[in-house]
Amino acid sequence: MLKSQILFLFTLSILFGCKQTEKTKETRPNILFIMSDDHAYQAISAYGSELLQTPNIDRIADEGMLFTNACVSNSICAPSRATILTGKHTHINGKIDNLMPFDTTQVTFPQIFQANGYQTAMFGKLHFGNNPKGADEFMILPGQGYYLNPDFDTPRGDTTIMGYVTDVITDLTLNWLKEDRDPDKPFMMMYMHKAPHRPWWPRPDKFAEFTKKQFPEPETLFDDYQNRGTAAKTAEMNLLTHMMYSHDSKIRPELLEKMGDKVTPKVEEFENGFYGPFGRATDEQKAQYNVVLDSINDYFEQHWPMMTEEEKMRWKYQRYMQDYLACISSVDDNVGRVLDYLDESGLAENTIVVYTSDQGFYLGDHGWFDKRFIYDESFKTPLMVRWPDKVAAGTVENEMVQNLDFAQTLLEAAGISAPSDMQGESLMPLLTGHKEQWDREAVYYHYYEYPSVHMVKRHYGIVTKEYKLVHFYYDIDEWELYDRLDDPNEMNNVYDDPAYADVVKELQIKLTELRSKYKDSPELDSLFIQKYNDMQVEKGNDFW
């Protein structure tokens, strides 16, 4: 009898232990980290966009939390991604710009997930390190990748997949979720789009649809930069004078040559800027594109020489928006495909879904395209997080959060301890309704890639909800201060306004403290300048 009781209790303890293990496994959340490239918050309807409806991306915000003050620590592609992966500022992980090498000794958060029993996968654009650490499975676009019939680096070698890149990346993601995922393990999936990165080649049907549309202009489209310093006035990202006719607006090189001096202002083109992307299309794909390309080029040939400078600016803006927003429309459609599968499969109930971008982007704001500046349109980035039963649906958060925080947030959500040398702060208090535990008042920003494409000068700064203090350095020594509440378009530098003297003094002290906290310094500035100059000498004309 005693032996039977002991056997019964032993069996019960084993079953109870198994049940606890299963329960633990079931409650560890899956992670779906979705990132697009250069996706401006101004082009997401959840942020109030008048440009485009993005119903599928909006679902994440509607069913979770929308961050209105999410930002980056360095507004350029590869450095932002390095910060996201490591939870460290770029001067720590080495990837200060698109040229400097990443410090491969750095531990990335996918490695930590992998070491803690998660199945990990990465599909799409990483931009650097095409053999990503910590990914059980990956298919990564080499470098910037192509929109049409893209190449991929995989653990099994290189491959080319026919189709439109946004659709292809989604197909790969869904195939892994449906066929290759281990259902007995939680997963950490990074689903990363190339779109809407320049040169903005939409899928043929979207190309035809969006070229028929007209979009509202930003109120700062004709900004003259009069109340800003040297940096804004000398940047080379103006739609009229720097956006390329062939590479960007889809004017065939042959037509530009034919029109000659009738095409003004003169803009230097990238070599193969048109046929590099378009040349990858099959004959069938080219036939679909040519219908729209013929229409654009015919209009340009007939009307461009007679247009005023203002009309030219407006035409270039519309061409830009037509292609850029068409690319985003495909992203939204495909995000919807993945969200639908999560719902249909039941995975949605225990999956954290994050949508973000590697930074913001100028959509004609201040007359610009591209990013790089600490000004809001490139500094701020979309961020929304859905986590059923943990994050209240439809919540909006305006605290200052950064891509620096993503790694620590996801690790804490999974119950994994973050390395002590990560520099971000977990967003869990904000996500789970414990805002009283959040105490950040300001974030730190530092941009390095100068002199280079777009000629945005080196600068660092501190940003609070109320103010933005910026120091431009290297070949100039200028300060700017913006009142983010009274001047949301950042049109007026009030650094020398006596009414803001106390604000300047306080923020300069806090900026010095932040630089110290994050282990940045004037000595590091000088070191990176020297390394950058050495690379320019070494690479010569190939540097850019």
Side-chain angles (χ1 to χ4, degrees):
M1 180 69 177
L2 182 60
K3 287 183 179 180
S4 299
Q5 287 176 330
I6 292 172
L7 182 61
F8 173 76
L9 292 172
F10 179 70
T11 304
L12 189 63
S13 68
I14 292 176
L15 290 173
F16 181 75
C18 290
K19 189 172 183 179
Q20 287 295 98
T21 302
E22 288 173 6
K23 183 179 180 182
T24 300
K25 183 167 60 180
E26 288 170 1
T27 55
R28 295 179 74 187
N30 304 307
I31 311 289
L32 176 63
F33 184 86
I34 310 172
M35 183 164 68
S36 298
D37 194 308
D38 293 342
H39 190 175
Y41 64 89
Q42 310 95 287
I44 297 177
S45 45
Y47 283 96
S49 176
E50 297 180 356
L51 295 169
L52 181 70
Q53 291 297 307
T54 51
N56 295 297
I57 294 171
D58 291 358
R59 282 165 61 184
I60 303 170
D62 293 341
E63 298 167 4
M65 180 173 287
L66 178 78
F67 289 85
T68 60
N69 257 324
C71 61
V72 297
S73 61
N74 184 352
S75 183
I76 189 169
C77 298
S80 177
R81 293 159 191 269
T83 292
I84 289 170
L85 287 171
T86 62
K88 299 175 187 177
H89 278 279
T90 51
H91 62 271
I92 300 295
N93 64 48
K95 196 65 181 164
I96 61 167
D97 53 43
N98 283 338
L99 300 166
M100 288 287 184
F102 175 65
D103 177 2
T104 56
T105 67
Q106 295 286 326
V107 175
T108 65
F109 81 81
Q111 287 177 278
I112 301 172
F113 271 95
Q114 187 183 52
N116 281 271
Y118 270 73
Q119 189 178 18
T120 58
M122 191 180 295
F123 296 104
K125 180 180 176 182
L126 181 59
H127 194 136
F128 73 95
N130 290 335
N131 186 11
K133 297 191 296 182
D136 295 322
E137 174 62 12
F138 64 86
M139 296 187 74
I140 299 296
L141 299 168
Q144 294 287 1
Y146 294 104
Y147 275 103
L148 307 178
N149 308 320
D151 301 326
F152 288 90
D153 292 334
T154 82
R156 297 160 294 281
D158 301 342
T159 188
T160 300
I161 301 179
M162 304 304 288
Y164 185 66
V165 67
T166 308
D167 299 331
V168 170
I169 292 170
T170 305
D171 291 343
L172 296 173
T173 297
L174 286 170
N175 181 72
W176 186 87
L177 288 170
K178 293 176 181 179
E179 306 294 336
D180 298 332
R181 179 179 61 86
D182 183 346
D184 294 326
K185 288 184 177 182
F187 66 82
M188 198 290 295
M189 155 76 77
M190 299 189 77
Y191 164 48
M192 302 180 294
H193 287 292
K194 169 184 172 59
H197 194 280
R198 191 182 188 192
W200 315 300
W201 276 88
R203 203 174 61 192
D205 58 324
K206 299 284 188 182
F207 194 37
E209 175 188 352
F210 276 74
T211 49
K212 297 180 176 69
K213 297 177 180 286
Q214 291 287 302
F215 299 96
E217 297 172 357
E219 60 182 293
T220 60
L221 180 63
F222 293 96
D223 189 352
D224 60 9
Y225 320 117
Q226 286 306 302
N227 297 318
R228 251 86 42 84
T230 304
K233 295 171 184 173
T234 58
E236 297 179 359
M237 56 174 67
N238 183 270
L239 292 177
L240 180 60
T241 55
H242 301 113
M243 182 168 275
M244 299 177 184
Y245 297 104
S246 182
H247 181 68
D248 298 317
S249 299
K250 312 296 187 294
I251 305 303
R252 294 189 177 101
E254 298 88 350
L255 178 57
L256 293 179
E257 185 176 357
K258 173 185 173 184
M259 292 178 67
D261 291 340
K262 293 180 180 178
V263 179
T264 59
K266 294 295 180 184
V267 177
E268 185 177 353
E269 293 282 343
F270 289 145
E271 186 177 358
N272 293 322
F274 180 86
Y275 285 111
F278 186 60
R280 296 185 63 84
T282 64
D283 289 344
E284 182 180 355
Q285 290 168 335
K286 287 178 181 177
Q288 292 176 298
Y289 279 111
N290 276 329
V291 174
V292 180
L293 289 170
D294 287 347
S295 175
I296 293 168
N297 280 257
D298 289 347
Y299 184 92
F300 184 85
E301 183 175 15
Q302 293 176 36
H303 296 279
W304 190 262
M306 281 77 74
M307 287 183 184
T308 65
E309 296 294 283
E310 182 177 313
E311 289 170 336
K312 290 176 179 178
M313 181 72 155
R314 289 197 156 107
W315 184 87
K316 273 196 167 183
Y317 168 76
Q318 293 298 333
R319 273 277 51 246
Y320 171 33
M321 285 300 92
Q322 288 162 356
D323 292 348
Y324 178 90
L325 296 172
C327 290
I328 291 175
S329 182
S330 287
V331 171
D332 187 71
D333 290 346
N334 279 281
V335 167
R337 291 173 61 200
V338 176
L339 295 180
D340 286 346
Y341 175 71
L342 293 181
D343 289 344
E344 294 160 5
S345 65
L347 287 170
E349 296 175 8
N350 193 35
T351 299
I352 299 171
V353 179
V354 178
Y355 187 87
T356 191
S357 182
D358 47 358
Q359 66 267 313
F361 215 66
Y362 294 103
L363 305 186
D365 317 276
H366 306 293
W368 289 335
F369 64 102
D370 207 70
K371 56 259 184 176
R372 301 167 195 264
F373 274 114
I374 196 174
Y375 305 137
D376 266 7
E377 290 84 4
S378 62
F379 167 73
K380 289 174 64 173
T381 192
L383 177 63
M384 49 197 77
V385 181
R386 185 183 79 178
W387 190 4
D389 298 326
K390 298 289 186 179
V391 177
T395 50
V396 177
E397 181 54 71
N398 72 339
E399 291 296 320
M400 299 297 303
V401 304
Q402 237 174 350
N403 59 352
L404 185 71
D405 305 323
F406 295 172
Q408 284 168 269
T409 302
L410 296 176
L411 289 169
E412 182 177 348
I416 302 171
S417 297
S420 59
D421 61 347
M422 282 188 172
Q423 296 182 306
E425 297 182 32
S426 171
L427 305 180
M428 284 294 286
L430 300 177
L431 291 169
T432 57
H434 297 287
K435 192 168 181 174
E436 71 280 359
Q437 299 175 16
W438 182 261
D439 61 359
R440 176 188 283 159
E441 295 181 353
V443 296
Y444 179 62
Y445 180 90
H446 198 153
Y447 174 80
Y448 298 84
E449 193 170 290
Y450 176 87
S452 187
V453 176
H454 299 302
M455 299 301 283
V456 173
K457 294 186 182 295
R458 293 169 184 251
H459 58 289
Y460 58 84
I462 179 174
V463 185
T464 69
K465 293 180 190 176
E466 296 84 12
Y467 300 106
K468 183 177 296 182
L469 179 70
V470 193
H471 181 214
F472 291 92
Y473 69 99
Y474 178 61
D475 60 340
I476 59 173
D477 181 9
E478 295 181 5
W479 288 85
E480 295 181 1
L481 175 70
Y482 294 95
D483 187 323
R484 299 185 73 204
L485 301 181
D486 287 348
D487 180 23
N489 287 328
E490 298 172 318
M491 300 289 284
N492 299 295
N493 173 20
V494 294
Y495 180 79
D496 292 321
D497 186 335
Y500 289 89
D502 289 342
V503 173
V504 168
K505 183 177 180 180
E506 180 183 356
L507 287 179
Q508 285 183 327
I509 292 171
K510 289 184 176 180
L511 176 56
T512 300
E513 292 172 349
L514 277 185
R515 276 169 67 80
S516 176
K517 173 183 176 179
Y518 293 122
K519 298 180 174 62
D520 202 3
S521 66
E523 291 76 21
L524 269 182
D525 297 344
S526 298
L527 175 64
F528 285 128
I529 287 169
Q530 185 59 54
K531 286 185 175 182
Y532 195 81
N533 291 341
D534 290 345
M535 287 179 66
Q536 282 185 308
V537 171
E538 178 184 344
K539 295 192 175 183
N541 292 334
D542 295 329
F543 183 67
W544 290 3

